[in-house]
Amino acid sequence: MSIKYLFRNKQWFLGFILLAISCTEKVDTDQSQDHQWESRLNNHKDWGIYRGHSTGIQYSELDQIHTGNVQHLVKAWEYRHGNPTGPGMYANPIIIDGLLYFTTPEVNAVALDAATGKELWVFRPDDYRNDERPFRGRNRGLTYWEDVYGNNQRILNFVKDRVYAIDAKTGQLITSFGENGWIDLRKNLPQDTEQVDFEATSQGMVYQNFIIIGGRTPEEDPSTPGDVRGYDALTGEFKWIFHTIPQPGQLGYDTWEFEEGVSYGGTNPWGGLTLDEDRGWVFFATGSPAPDFIYGGMRKGENLFANCVIALDATTGERIWHYQTLRHDIWDYDLPPAPILATVTVDGKSRDIVVQLTKQGLTFVLDRETGEPVFPVVDLPVPASKVPGEESWPTQPFPLKPPPLNRTSLRESDLSNITPETHEYVLNIFRKHETGPLYTPASMAGVITLPGHQGGAEWGGAAFDPATNVMFVNINEAPTIHSLIPLTNIDTAKATPAQRGAMIYNTACTACHGLNKVGNPPLFPPLTDIRLNSDSIKSILAFGRGMMPAFSHYSDKHLDDLVAYLKSDEVKLDKVSKSDNTTSKAPRYANIAPFFVDQNGYPAISPPWGTLNAVDLDKGEILWKVPLGEYPELVAQGIRNTGSKSFGGPVVTAGNVVFIAATPDEKIRAFDKFTGQVLWEYQLPAGGYATPSVYMVDGKQYVVIAAGGGGKNGTKVGDSVIAFALPD
């Protein structure tokens, strides 16, 4: 149609112009509403998303509570969900429009009045499952989503292998979502649905109308691929997948030596995801392949995309870049927290960065656009494996800045000396084992590894202060003894049930419960005198209990065999192993990984055993380091300021305060962000193994923590969610 014709038909042309203006206004309105949607998750009064912001910085702009008055904090309210069993609560509550949402150990979603703690509704996902008993799992909270017009407000609840959509105001299931109200996460993976074992331990990330999901998979063989998937947040429709174990023809496939008959899984982002709203990129960090440690002879190679920081297009799942922090992981050095997205000033220039914390205590600072290191990283040779069949990778990357946040090797002078008796005890163990620098592989003699697989940073991540470009992170100092025991062959067709069960135990259980069921103190008890009946044992194996995950990927027959072994006192490791009709070419080993502890279960190295650290990310320097946490039994003996293992993260506020719980003395503390001085502490009813949330309602600032206890520190279980505020 010509311009001349348009001008000749003035009425039609006027309509055309008005339509064009209307369309332009609609686009502008959509963009404005999109930014409004962003602000509902990332505004400074609410805590609308896990870790407080889609960038994962765990920061609040609120400053009503500050270093001058934080010592006056009092309990504003306490809510108890009424079922103090299971693994405890790890939820970081989200707060939106005056409502607080969190999950219980059964992964019930609960909505409270954020100002009073009054219960508004409870959504119980077990009402929609046919399992024999309630599911209990490690879960870090919920995700909120609404469309760009502010409609369809919903809470997304991640329960084992399902995602439920719940009306945010009423707690009712939204049945138009997915399959009658949920997404089945066993589907859309490169594995038979019935063999999939997947648990959404961390909530998904929302971007526009996408919900992006990672999670936990078994750490032993057989396992499930830890792929990342995108779904439509309104309908639940599957949209895309990124394979963390590359498929034939994909980038990284040639970094594996795949063997026929081996189940490849893991490489999963169980610590959650972060998001760059402007770029439309989602970021995550993966764990090790399965089996996660201490032998990788059946998966030789660099093993992309394990132990990687990865950036994807959030709408398509296409890889933007990746950076591998560790090649061929045989130490269970998962990347526990999702990457932190921050902006700093390096050499006088503003840089958008990605910060990745590790169990090794190393901090990788990467350019957000390219994935290249901001500070120098050197590739250094590391010790070779002495174990037949293993091919450890000969070099590993070491960042020069920031320096390691914990010790990375062990000498006799590092051993605990809290009492003369303790020093003598741990010295005797030390001299019976090998030691070495970071990345010394396990051996059949046993290698004391520092940090061990519960060392360095954990899933709680770090808090970043954009006012000073300083990061605050809690760090564990925890050694482990890594040993491999060669397994003999048996013919499964001729083996007894107990022998077949021992074969399963040697593959899946020795890392926690030790060789021949002897246990791994202080967290994992011996299994030599189980007084439960066979049905009760099988139920625990099938559904999990406390820290122990469910072994849902095993068949009833496998579980019956495992129960037979656990009830038997005759079958020993040297009599059972893999089947001699296996198709695997690699020799198999049982991995034994007890913590290196003293006679009372405390770390065998000299304190501090846990610290809170302030790191200047402009310069890559540690500003201060202070002990975090104590053990009450040692305090009673006058042994103070030891620090402790901590699980759960810190938050930092514009009031110059760092809040953190996470310790086995069951306290929540406030630190001065400039000095590390403790300004306030409160004795919780149970350990706060979660990350606090900070929010404001009706002009009043609150700090809230889930005090569920239990967990990897082995303390009592609780059922409280507690909010603190300044007195009226």
Side-chain angles (χ1 to χ4, degrees), residues 39 82 103 107 158 334 349 383 388 457 496 613 615 709:
S39 69
T103 51
V107 204
F158 302 80
D334 293 342
K349 296 181 180 179
T496 67
N613 300 259
V615 182

Side-chain angles (χ1 to χ4, degrees), residues 645-686:
K645 284 186 183 180
S646 59
F647 297 94
V651 299
V652 61
T653 74
N656 300 326
V657 178
V658 178
F659 290 100
I660 186 169
T663 54
D665 54 15
E666 302 173 320
K667 294 180 179 181
I668 183 171
R669 294 176 169 88
F671 292 82
D672 186 309
K673 78 174 186 183
F674 294 109
T675 66
Q677 178 186 356
V678 177
L679 302 176
W680 169 82
E681 62 182 28
Y682 181 91
Q683 187 70 50
L684 298 168

